[in-house]
Amino acid sequence: MPITDALLDSFRNARHVVVFTGAGVSAESGIPTFRDALTGLWERFDPAELATPDAFRRDPALVWGWYEWRRMKVLQAQPNPAHLAIAALAERVPKLTLVTQNVDDLHERAGSRDVIHLHGSLHAPRCFACARPHTLTETPEEPAEGRRLEPPRCQHCNGLVRPGVVWFGEMLPEAALQAAFDAAGACDLLLSIGTSGVVQPAASIPRVALQAGAVVVHVNPQPAGHDGRREFSLTGAAGGVLPDLLRMLGGRHGIIDGSFRP
Ligand code: BV8
Ligand code: ZN
């Protein structure tokens, strides 16, 4: 569906916008989504299997190797025009709350502030036993196809260090989840970008906004919900659709050839 004047008006009149992102917003930075089949050492695994406390107990080196491989990919990646457009949009609207399911830091590296990470971060490892934070000194140099890698040990209790992400079957950080639901319930417009809307409770956030009377706009190459009244589906890659949206919103800020021109 094209970006209509009615939709642009909804953006212009919005006092509070929530931007809710999934793996698709980082796809154009070369970060595989969860839909993309795993490769190399992990190709025979389902991500939802690997991203569990049981998988880590069973084979810590397999799981730690996977996360260090992902952390390496993220450190080698750059924010893409979608991340930049979201950071620019925050300057264009009175209030913007950015909620992400992603464990990368590409939103922050694009200039977004106060990003709510529902599922944790690749850059916040902690001890699996005593939960104390652990500082990773070296930059991961993982072979392209990945490898098993023994997790480091906790300096305090010698426990195994685990990635600072929320695994399946684990509770989400209470404050982040509450802040996300509060924002969804109070916003005028929610932009849902690059998510398949499968993983709960995060996947309920767009519906909370819709039920609270907000306009919901999905950005995804895969068509999503669309009733033409308060729910819209902009089908396309976020790195193309979002700069277009910002350009059409016009005014001071614009994204020119991928880099933000103040
Ligand atoms: C919990 C961190 C309480 C780790 C992640 C209710 C019903 C059914 C099941 C459940 C339920 N409640 C809870 C569950 C269980 C489970 C769940 O939801 N399972 C699913 C599989 C059904 N939820 C949990 O376990 C949650 N915890 O409920 O705790 C509890 C506790 C104890 C006992 C009982 C209850 C914890 C869930 C969090 C798991 N951790 N990530 C890591 O990263 O390794 S989830 C992870 O997967 C991501 O963070 C993200 O949330 C999800 C992947 O989804 P997306 O981001 O949407 O990505 P995906 O690849 O799927 O899709 C990409 C999309 O982008 C596609 O649509 C594609 O078309 C699009 N796209 C592609 N390119 C582009 C694009 N879009 C735009 N531009 C492009 N260029
Ligand atoms: Zn410890």
Side-chain angles (χ1 to χ4, degrees):
M1 173 218 130
I3 300 171
T4 61
D5 289 348
L7 195 52
L8 292 172
D9 286 346
S10 303
F11 273 95
R12 293 195 185 101
N13 305 333
R15 290 178 314 287
H16 182 189
V17 171
V18 168
V19 175
F20 175 61
T21 66
V25 81
S26 295
E28 293 158 82
S29 295
I31 308 297
T33 71
F34 267 66
R35 303 290 91 188
D36 298 330
L38 292 180
T39 57
L41 179 61
W42 305 286
E43 70 187 346
R44 56 192 165 81
F45 293 94
D46 166 356
E49 273 167 30
L50 277 175
T52 63
D54 296 348
F56 187 70
R57 285 190 197 89
R58 256 196 320 275
D59 192 340
L62 181 75
V63 173
W64 183 254
W66 183 45
Y67 282 96
E68 281 298 272
W69 180 84
R70 290 172 63 186
R71 188 167 72 95
M72 174 187 73
K73 300 292 282 184
V74 166
L75 290 170
Q76 292 168 345
Q78 292 304 322
N80 67 60
H83 297 109
L84 294 167
I86 292 164
L89 183 62
E91 315 288 323
R92 293 291 327 280
V93 297
K95 181 178 170 56
L96 185 141
T97 304
L98 177 50
V99 178
T100 189
Q101 299 166 80
N102 301 342
V103 294
D104 64 51
D105 62 342
L106 295 175
H107 282 304
E108 286 86 350
R109 285 157 57 189
S112 289
R113 291 182 300 282
D114 313 322
V115 182
I116 297 174
H117 283 268
L118 292 176
H119 296 160
S121 163
L122 288 171
H123 307 299
R126 65 178 187 272
C127 175
F128 194 41
C130 74
R132 287 191 188 95
H134 178 84
T135 307
L136 288 172
T137 48
E138 73 294 342
T139 302
E141 269 133 34
E142 301 308 299
E145 72 287 356
R147 63 175 173 170
R148 310 164 65 75
L149 190 64
E150 283 304 322
R153 292 288 174 163
C154 169
Q155 287 103 352
H156 308 281
C157 76
N158 201 38
L160 290 177
V161 171
R162 58 159 291 168
V165 300
V166 178
W167 278 331
F168 288 95
E170 292 186 321
M171 301 299 270
L172 275 60
E174 201 57 38
L177 187 61
Q178 196 54 53
F181 275 95
D182 291 351
C187 70
D188 306 295
L189 187 148
L190 183 142
L191 200 44
S192 177
I193 306 168
T195 184
S196 58
V198 172
V199 173
Q200 296 293 352
S204 305
I205 290 171
R207 198 175 51 253
V208 167
L210 204 58
Q211 283 164 354
V215 168
V216 171
V217 181
H218 304 278
V219 177
N220 195 314
Q222 306 295 323
H226 171 87
D227 67 7
R229 270 178 328 93
R230 277 200 297 111
E231 190 172 17
F232 301 90
S233 173
L234 301 180
T235 48
V241 171
L242 295 177
D244 288 352
L245 180 64
L246 230 74
R247 238 190 302 280
M248 294 169 78
L249 279 172
R252 197 159 51 81
H253 293 300
I255 298 280
I256 309 301
D257 59 54
S259 58
F260 172 51
R261 290 274 185 285

